[in-house]
Amino acid sequence: MTRVLIVEDEPHIAEALVYLLEREGITAKVIANGEEAMTAVGDYDLIVLDIMLPGRSGFDVAEAVRGLAVRPKTCVLTAKGQAADRARMEALGVDAFVTKPFSNRALMETVRTLLAEA
């Protein structure tokens, strides 16, 4: 069973992501706090990760993912689309970067591609 962790503190965005994923038959869980996400990242096939989070930043979560022996794919979904943020996330090994606002179709194509590579 494919499992996706959504690390997103905006409830409406998180709810929409769960709907999109579950419609595809993908099990999704939401964590709205970076600190809580730090201990959960290893249990998923894909992480959809916001950068600006309460507790710990998405950068911290991405670094935790990078340190895992078996790394889940990671897609950053953020309003912070600046080149410096993208470069920092790429240096941390993030697999994809989607900027908010996003197209549902484009996001799901990215998710499908990453899960096919997992």
Side-chain angles (χ1 to χ4, degrees):
M1 172 181 10
T2 303
R3 296 184 47 184
V4 174
L5 176 63
I6 300 164
V7 185
E8 171 62 63
D9 63 328
E10 293 292 331
H12 293 91
I13 293 172
E15 183 179 321
L17 292 172
V18 168
Y19 172 78
L20 290 169
L21 292 165
E22 290 183 346
R23 189 173 70 179
E24 297 271 328
I26 299 168
T27 301
K29 176 180 179 176
V30 175
I31 293 179
N33 179 297
E35 188 68 42
E36 187 180 338
M38 297 288 286
T39 59
V41 293
D43 297 331
Y44 295 87
D45 303 298
L46 171 67
I47 299 168
V48 178
L49 177 63
D50 190 9
I51 291 178
M52 297 183 299
L53 296 164
R56 301 284 290 268
S57 75
F59 295 112
D60 294 334
V61 176
E63 181 126 12
V65 170
R66 185 174 75 167
L68 296 172
V70 177
R71 279 188 43 228
K73 293 291 183 175
T74 307
C75 175
V76 172
L77 179 65
T78 185
K80 290 181 60 111
Q82 292 88 356
D85 293 325
R86 183 182 295 266
R88 185 172 173 196
M89 280 298 195
E90 287 173 354
L92 290 170
V94 168
D95 300 292
F97 200 97
V98 176
T99 304
K100 295 175 188 172
F102 57 90
S103 145
N104 290 348
R105 174 177 279 144
L107 176 66
M108 289 310 297
E109 286 175 10
T110 300
V111 166
R112 284 185 209 102
T113 298
L114 291 175
L115 289 174
E117 296 172 357

